[in-house]
């Protein structure tokens, strides 16, 4: 084989897998920009990502909280950016729908943010969400110390992330933590306008109130210069029709696969430990065939027929 052909084959293989040619960045852009309310489902590893896709979700939220938890770490930047990138690569390789990655506050300053954006884009992510906090961040539902980043400095972080990704369609979402940190609507709006100006493709406005009131007031006053994304974790009982009416673009169900898995594993381990038997749980867990189906073992059998020499034994 000529060296040129070898290079071509390698390029075809690698780049066909990369986000640049997978259409995932354009798909995420379409989801976020569409006039209909869209939903992103949380996933934290390849298995949960595959299940989200199989269930019909058009896109995935790679939750920082859930990924950290699955790694046995706290959502306080204990996971390094390269650990997160490795998880995202597995999730992306295992699915065809776009992944918006929770990039916390960007793992440092503009330089860290652009490095993370570049690597995430290379490894199959469709977009990156950066929150306007300082490094190290703390989960927005834990404690009251959530120091915000300086607006101008954070605008630089957003712009650097946007320029860092090789794919111009890579989506950058700017997350506003002003309401979480105890500032009012004015501060949230000032920040949202600055971040849209800096090139954010959407604004994520976060709240930890038990009702959607402050999110809906923000949406009402917003001039629509870019789409709004929300995370109804604490205000979970508001019907999504309220978000449609408010012109919100995208809802993120942010940690529910991780919490469902934890609840199921707690219950199962407790029962098996108590009963000293798995007989009672067999009917309640995923049949092995459904796992083999999800992972497409049939394709491997087909490939064996194609590539393995037939043997007589
Ligand atoms: C996450 O899922 O990690 C988020 C959303 O950032 S939240 O935990 O609700 O802040
Ligand atoms: Mg997070």
């Amino acid at each position: 084989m000529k060296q040129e052909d070898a290079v071509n084959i390698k390029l075809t293989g690698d780049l066909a897998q990369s986000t640049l040619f997978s259409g995932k960045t354009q798909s995420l852009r379409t989801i976020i920009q569409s006039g209909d309310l869209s939903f992103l489902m949380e996933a934290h590893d390849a298995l949960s990502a595959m299940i989200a896709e199989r269930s019909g979700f058009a896109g995935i939220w790679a939750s920082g909280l859930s990924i950290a938890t699955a790694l046995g770490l706290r959502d306080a930047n204990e996971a390094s950016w390269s650990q997160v990138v490795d998880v995202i690569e597995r999730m992306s390789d295992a699915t065809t729908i776009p992944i918006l990655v929770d990039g916390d506050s960007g793992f440092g300053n503009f330089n860290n943010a652009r490095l993370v954006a570049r690597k995430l884009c290379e490894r199959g992510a469709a977009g990156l969400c950066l929150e306007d906090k300082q490094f190290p961040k703390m989960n927005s539902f834990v404690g009251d110390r959530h120091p915000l980043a300086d607006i101008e400095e954070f605008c630089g972080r957003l712009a650097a992330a946007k320029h860092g990704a090789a794919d111009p369609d890579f989506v950058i979402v700017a997350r506003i933590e002003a309401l979480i940190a105890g500032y009012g609507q004015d501060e949230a709006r000032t920040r949202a306008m600055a971040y849209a100006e800096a090139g954010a493709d959407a604004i994520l406005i976060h709240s930890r109130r038990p009702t959607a009131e402050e999110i809906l007031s923000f949406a009402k006053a917003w001039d629509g210069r870019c789409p709004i994304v929300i995370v109804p974790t604490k205000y979970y009982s508001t019907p999504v029709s309220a978000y449609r009416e408010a012109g919100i673009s995208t809802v993120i169900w942010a940690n529910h696969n991780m919490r469902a898995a934890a609840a199921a594993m707690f219950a199962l381990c407790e029962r098996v430990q108590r009963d000293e038997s798995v007989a009672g749980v067999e009917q309640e867990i995923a049949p092995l065939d459904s796992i083999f189906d999800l992972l497409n073992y049939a394709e491997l059998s087909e490939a064996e027929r194609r590539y393995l020499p037939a043997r007589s034994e």
Side-chain angles (χ1 to χ4, degrees):
M1 189 192 289
K2 286 189 297 195
Q3 199 192 349
E4 204 177 280
D5 292 338
V7 168
N8 281 341
I9 288 170
K10 176 144 177 43
L11 278 181
T12 316
D14 289 354
L15 291 182
Q17 292 296 320
S18 86
T19 316
L20 208 49
F21 295 99
S22 69
K24 286 181 175 179
T25 51
Q26 293 95 327
S27 304
L28 182 60
R29 208 159 264 283
T30 305
I31 289 171
I32 283 177
Q33 289 175 350
S34 94
D36 295 336
L37 185 67
S38 309
F39 298 90
L40 299 181
M41 184 63 199
E42 173 262 319
H44 49 275
D45 59 11
L47 175 61
S48 50
M50 284 188 284
I51 291 173
E53 177 168 27
R54 186 66 79 92
S55 307
F57 282 98
I60 287 170
W61 167 249
S63 155
L65 168 63
S66 301
I67 290 173
T69 305
L71 292 172
L73 296 169
R74 288 167 293 209
D75 187 19
N77 281 131
E78 289 186 346
S80 70
W81 68 261
S82 60
Q83 284 176 307
V84 173
V85 167
D86 287 344
V87 171
I88 300 305
E89 180 173 40
R90 290 303 326 126
M91 289 169 60
S92 176
D93 284 357
T95 50
T96 63
I97 56 176
I99 302 174
L100 174 61
V101 178
D102 175 3
D104 294 333
S105 53
F107 299 89
N109 69 0
F110 78 93
N111 192 34
N112 306 89
R114 68 179 173 174
L115 185 57
V116 171
R118 175 154 71 81
K119 282 293 160 196
L120 283 171
C121 186
E122 280 173 16
R123 305 278 202 90
L128 172 64
C129 177
L130 293 177
E131 64 198 47
D132 58 355
K133 294 222 279 245
Q134 295 175 18
F135 180 91
K137 59 73 60 83
M138 171 51 77
N139 182 274
S140 304
F141 304 139
V142 178
D144 291 321
R145 218 184 61 80
H146 296 281
L148 297 185
D150 170 78
I151 296 183
E152 271 184 57
E153 186 276 329
F154 188 70
C155 286
R157 243 188 272 176
L158 291 171
K162 202 166 177 65
H163 299 151
D167 184 339
D169 283 323
F170 190 76
V171 172
I172 299 292
V173 176
R175 165 167 157 178
I176 293 159
E177 290 281 289
L179 303 178
I180 298 282
Y183 297 90
Q185 295 281 341
D186 286 351
E187 180 69 22
R189 252 193 308 281
T190 302
R191 285 175 175 266
M193 288 191 298
Y195 302 161
E197 186 66 27
D201 297 298
I203 295 297
L204 189 160
I205 180 75
H206 205 16
S207 165
R208 58 182 191 180
R209 295 260 174 89
T211 70
E213 222 170 288
E214 62 180 5
I215 290 301
L216 294 173
S217 326
F218 179 89
K220 196 166 174 205
W222 184 239
D223 64 6
R225 66 181 70 191
C226 70
I228 298 179
V229 179
I230 60 168
V231 183
T233 296
K234 292 287 181 181
Y235 49 100
Y236 53 80
S237 53
T238 305
V240 295
S241 55
Y243 307 140
R244 279 200 179 92
E245 279 158 31
I248 283 162
S249 138
T250 305
V251 164
I252 293 176
W253 306 126
N255 47 43
H256 300 77
N257 266 328
M258 178 273 287
R259 287 162 64 199
M265 289 189 284
F266 267 123
L268 178 119
C269 285
E270 197 203 341
R271 185 156 167 194
V272 172
Q273 154 75 7
R274 186 192 63 218
D275 296 351
E276 296 188 340
S277 167
V278 290
V281 299
E282 182 59 29
Q283 300 307 318
E284 293 171 19
I285 57 180
L288 277 178
D289 279 345
S290 73
I291 302 295
F292 299 147
D293 176 54
L294 190 63
L295 274 288
N296 199 4
Y297 279 56
E299 187 279 333
L300 183 53
S301 305
E302 169 60 26
E304 281 177 358
R305 275 193 290 283
R306 210 165 339 126
Y307 298 120
L308 275 184
R311 292 200 195 284
S312 49
E313 79 273 21

